[in-house]
Amino acid sequence: MNILILGSGGREHSIAWAVKQNPKCDHLICAPGNAGMAEVATCMPLDILDGAAVVAFCRTHKIDFCIIGPEAPLAAGVADALRAADILTFGPSAAAARLEASKAFTKEICDACGAPTAAYAHFTDADAAKTYITEQGAPIVVKADGLAAGKGVIVAMTVSEALAAVDDMFDGSFGEAGAEVVIEEFMEGEEASFFILSDGTSILPIGTAQDHKRAYDGDEGPNTGGMGAYSPAPVLTAALQQKAIDEIIQPTIDEMAIRGTPYEGVLYAGFMIKDGQPRLVEYNARFGDPECQVIMMRLGAQALDALLACAEQRLEKARLNWADDHALTVVLAAKGYPGEYQKNTEIKGLDTIEQTSKSHVFHAGTAQSGDAILATGGRVLNVTARGDTLQQARDNAYAMIKDIDWPEGFHRKDIGWRAL
Ligand code: AMP
Ligand code: GLY
C-alpha cells in the first residue's frame, strides 16, 4: 500500500522507520519530512494544516493510508477532512482531539466518567482565578486552557508565583490559549506515560514510557519538550496499567463514544502515580515526542499492523508480540535550547554509525544541504537503542553518540537514571 505520514520530527521519523519495515508498505511519503526521513521515504512539501490540500495530495499520490503525527493538524480537522473523503486515516477528529486541545474539556470528561484526576476549577476571568488561588494556597498548578506548545503549565510553589502566572495568561503571553485557565490541585508522585490505541470502542495498549522534561542533568534547568525517554516505565506495572485502563482509559473512550465524538487514534495518557493509584495529569491526542521513538523501536514492523487495525476498527482482535526488552532514546539539542540557539550548524559522523533494528538515529530537526546534514531545530537528533535490559539499551545509545561530531550540540548524560 501507499502510505503518507504527516510531520517532520523525530516522532514521525520513528513511525516512518517502523512502517517501512513492514512488507505491506510499498511506497512511503513523508510530508514535509526531514533529512533522516528521506532515507526511508520520499519527502515532499505540503501544508499539513490544510485539510483540503492534504486530501488533494492523497488523491494525486494514490495514498491508501494517512498517518497524522503532530497535534496541530488534528486540532485543525485534517483527520475529519480525510475521513470525509474516504481515505483511511490514523488520528482523531478535531472534536476528539479536544482531549489535548482543551484542558477544561478533559476535566469535564473526567468528571463525567469518574476518572481520578486533580481537583480543579475553570476561569475566564483573572480576578476570580486569583481569589480561588488565594483561598486554596500553594503549591498549585495554573494551566492555559488551549494548545500552548507545552508551555502553558505553571507548577507554582508559592501563591505569588501562581498569581503572576494568571496575570501572564490573561495578558496574552500565551495567545489564544490563555483566554481561559484551569487551576489544579498540585499532585505529588511519580509521572509516567501510557500509550493506548483506540478505534472508538476497543483499545490496545502499545506501551509505557517515561521522559525527562528538564534540559540539564539531574533534572535541572528549564522545561523542554523532552530530552530523552525510555520504555517500558517500571513504575507502570501490569497491575497499575489494568487499573488505569479500568478507571481512566476505558471510561474516557466510552464517554467520548456516548457523546458522538468517538476517539480514534493513539491516546497518550500522562499519569501521576502515588500509593498504587494512578491519577490523570493530561491527555494528548498523538504520540509523545521522544516517547514515540522508544515505542516504535520496541514495536518495529508490527507498528503498521496495529495502526491499520486501529484505523479499520479491528482492535478488538488485534494482538502485539512483545519482546521482553527495553529501549532508550537520548535527545541531541542545539546549545541554548529551549532558549535561543544557532541554526544551520553542520553535524558530522552520522554516516559512520551502524544502524540496525536495535539502534537508530532518528532525525528531529535536520535538513540536507549538498552532502552535509544541518541542524535546523532545537531538538535535532534522537539517538535510540534497544537492549535486553535498560542498562544495555542505555549503553548502546550512549556508545552511538560518541561517533557524532557536532560541537554546537548538547545532550543529557543521565537519561534513565530514575529507573536505574
Ligand atoms: P501538562 O502539559 O498538563 O502535562 O503539564 C506539564 C507538566 O506539569 C506535567 O508533566 C507535570 O509534570 C506537571 N503538572 C501538570 N499538572 C500537574 C498537577 N496537577 N500536579 C503536579 N504536577 C503537574
Ligand atoms: N514528551 C512530551 C510530549 O511529547 O508531549
Side-chain angles (χ1 to χ4, degrees):
M1 62 199 311
N2 298 330
I3 299 175
L4 171 65
I5 299 176
L6 301 184
S8 60
R11 166 180 49 212
E12 289 79 22
H13 185 185
S14 70
I15 296 171
W17 172 85
V19 161
K20 187 63 190 174
Q21 291 172 40
N22 191 307
K24 289 194 187 78
C25 178
D26 297 310
H27 187 49
L28 182 60
I29 301 180
C30 295
N34 63 36
M37 292 159 92
E39 290 163 16
V40 287
T42 307
C43 294
M44 300 181 84
L46 173 63
D47 178 0
I48 65 167
L49 298 182
D50 180 343
V54 175
V55 168
F57 185 97
C58 288
R59 294 244 159 85
T60 305
H61 297 280
K62 302 197 163 45
I63 297 298
D64 302 300
F65 184 36
C66 180
I67 300 168
I68 304 175
E71 62 274 25
L74 298 170
V78 172
D80 304 72
L82 285 162
R83 287 200 181 94
D86 270 333
I87 297 164
L88 191 63
T89 301
F90 179 79
S93 67
R98 288 183 73 207
L99 284 178
E100 170 162 6
S102 168
K103 297 193 189 292
F105 177 72
T106 296
K107 286 299 198 180
E108 180 192 316
I109 294 289
C110 287
D111 279 352
C113 71
T117 183
Y120 76 106
H122 173 221
F123 299 93
T124 51
D125 169 85
D127 288 335
K130 286 175 166 178
T131 306
Y132 179 78
I133 289 171
T134 311
E135 283 163 12
Q136 296 292 315
I140 195 158
V141 182
V142 182
K143 300 186 173 185
D145 180 61
L147 291 178
K151 297 182 189 82
V153 176
I154 307 292
V155 179
M157 287 300 148
T158 62
V159 167
S160 58
E161 212 183 319
L163 298 178
V166 169
D167 279 334
D168 279 352
M169 287 181 190
F170 284 99
D171 282 352
S173 41
F174 296 88
E176 287 277 309
E180 295 182 40
V181 299
V182 168
I183 301 191
E184 268 187 24
E185 164 201 0
F186 171 80
M187 294 188 284
E188 277 177 46
E190 186 166 359
E191 275 190 271
S193 306
F194 195 13
F195 295 87
I196 300 103
L197 298 184
S198 163
D199 62 14
T201 317
S202 299
I203 62 166
L204 179 70
I206 54 165
T208 62
Q210 275 176 301
D211 79 341
H212 294 259
K213 289 201 165 66
R214 300 299 188 114
Y216 312 133
D217 285 7
D219 291 329
E220 306 267 353
N223 252 319
T224 71
M227 293 299 292
Y230 50 93
S231 172
V235 61
L236 266 176
T237 59
L240 271 183
Q241 288 178 43
Q242 195 56 51
K243 197 170 166 64
I245 288 172
D246 295 342
E247 295 180 6
I248 302 175
I249 304 297
Q250 193 67 55
T252 297
I253 299 301
D254 295 346
E255 180 65 26
M256 293 299 284
I258 289 167
R259 291 176 180 228
T261 52
Y263 191 91
E264 298 168 81
V266 60
L267 187 63
Y268 159 1
F271 298 131
M272 193 68 83
I273 299 151
K274 192 174 174 231
D275 302 331
Q277 178 65 49
R279 291 207 286 166
L280 185 73
V281 177
E282 62 160 353
Y283 281 132
N284 291 299
R286 50 172 175 86
F287 281 106
D289 188 343
E291 293 93 328
C292 185
Q293 289 81 316
V294 286
I295 304 263
M296 289 299 145
M297 172 86 16
R298 293 186 66 211
L299 286 174
Q302 61 180 331
L304 176 59
D305 299 313
L307 301 191
L308 276 172
C310 181
E312 291 173 338
Q313 304 184 322
R314 295 185 282 104
L315 280 183
E316 195 184 350
K317 296 212 172 74
R319 296 288 173 271
L320 292 171
N321 292 313
W322 283 114
D324 185 16
D325 63 354
H326 299 254
L328 182 141
T329 188
V330 182
V331 173
L332 271 58
K335 278 181 187 160
Y337 172 81
E340 300 260 313
Y341 54 83
Q342 210 183 331
K343 277 193 178 172
N344 297 318
T345 56
E346 188 176 350
I347 306 166
K348 294 187 191 141
L350 287 173
D351 47 356
T352 65
I353 298 176
E354 197 201 351
Q355 307 203 60
T356 67
S357 64
K358 293 189 165 186
S359 63
H360 204 86
V361 180
F362 297 119
H363 291 225
T366 64
Q368 183 101 29
S369 170
D371 285 339
I373 300 283
L374 304 181
T376 54
R379 292 190 294 171
V380 173
L381 297 170
N382 312 135
V383 181
T384 312
R386 222 164 82 184
D388 290 339
T389 62
L390 183 60
Q391 184 67 51
Q392 223 173 59
R394 184 197 215 201
D395 292 346
N396 294 346
Y398 280 105
M400 282 197 283
I401 293 180
K402 290 202 177 70
D403 293 326
I404 299 175
D405 176 11
W406 183 36
E408 293 83 5
F410 80 100
H411 63 274
R412 282 184 56 163
K413 313 279 190 300
D414 63 348
I415 300 305
W417 70 269
R418 209 181 282 276
L420 292 165

